[in-house]
Amino acid sequence: GQQLIFSNTYHLLLQPGPRIIRDAGGIHKFTGREKPFITDSGGFQVFSLAYGSVKESLESGGELKRSNRKVIQSAKKRNDKCHWRSDVTGENAVTVTEDHVIFKSYRDGAKVTLTPESSIQAQKDIGADIIIPLDELPPHHIDRDSLAASVERSHRWE
């Protein structure tokens, strides 16, 4: 069986929320599992709102992710529940500053600010045994200077 479970901070941040998990006694009691948990920073999911998955980024040559309105319209016609909001991806989906990133929740469109400190605090509130600091995930096809700036920012965020 598995020795370590990887939990996604981005998704836990948006639902049910780190405080709910903390108030329930932490992720171990919340899930009824005593073995170790590792959480990520949430950064990959945040930055994928703008650029998509690694596969999408590679296929698009680094173009910004576009809302797939055809998929959403098709789901509505079939009365399928569409779990992804079309207004939270693509251009302006993510704002990066030296101090934080801002993105919109895919659940309700609310603006969320994630800082290096708030990412760590969320992971502590979740009760993870191993936590990962926030890092910037730039698109695959960027120039060397932009990549270097991104790596340097990630190191300052540690």
Side-chain angles (χ1 to χ4, degrees):
Q2 74 261 9
Q3 298 298 308
L4 179 71
I5 289 189
F6 197 95
S7 296
N8 189 292
T9 299
Y10 169 82
H11 291 292
L12 294 174
L13 180 69
L14 298 180
Q15 183 184 10
R19 289 185 185 123
I20 289 174
I21 296 170
R22 180 196 65 208
D23 293 349
I27 190 111
H28 296 92
K29 287 192 179 182
F30 188 76
T31 62
R33 183 178 190 284
E34 291 305 315
K35 291 187 178 180
F37 280 84
I38 183 172
T39 49
D40 64 350
S41 68
F44 177 84
Q45 288 75 25
V46 169
F47 290 104
S48 70
L49 292 172
Y51 297 103
S53 67
V54 173
K55 180 179 185 278
E56 290 170 325
S57 179
L58 288 170
E59 288 174 351
S60 72
E63 289 293 316
L64 287 170
K65 184 175 185 175
R66 305 289 181 223
S67 301
N68 193 338
R69 297 192 194 287
K70 288 182 183 178
V71 170
I72 293 165
Q73 289 169 349
S74 176
K76 285 181 181 176
K77 284 181 186 175
R78 293 188 315 268
N79 273 343
D80 288 348
K81 214 173 186 185
C82 186
H83 297 287
W84 196 261
R85 295 175 54 94
S86 63
D87 62 336
V88 300
T89 62
E91 191 173 1
N92 301 319
V94 179
T95 302
V96 182
T97 73
E98 186 59 31
D99 301 318
H100 61 267
V101 295
I102 300 172
F103 63 97
K104 288 184 181 179
S105 165
Y106 70 91
R107 299 193 50 78
D108 60 8
K111 282 191 176 180
V112 179
T113 301
L114 189 62
T115 67
E117 297 82 9
S118 69
S119 172
I120 295 295
Q121 187 59 54
Q123 294 175 76
K124 287 180 176 181
D125 287 348
I126 289 166
D129 300 291
I130 302 168
I131 59 177
I132 298 176
L134 183 62
D135 57 334
E136 182 178 0
L137 178 71
H140 178 71
H141 301 285
I142 63 170
D143 62 80
R144 186 173 182 82
D145 290 342
S146 297
L147 179 59
S150 175
V151 169
E152 290 166 8
R153 177 179 291 119
S154 292
H155 283 290
R156 288 190 298 273
W157 282 356
E158 289 180 345

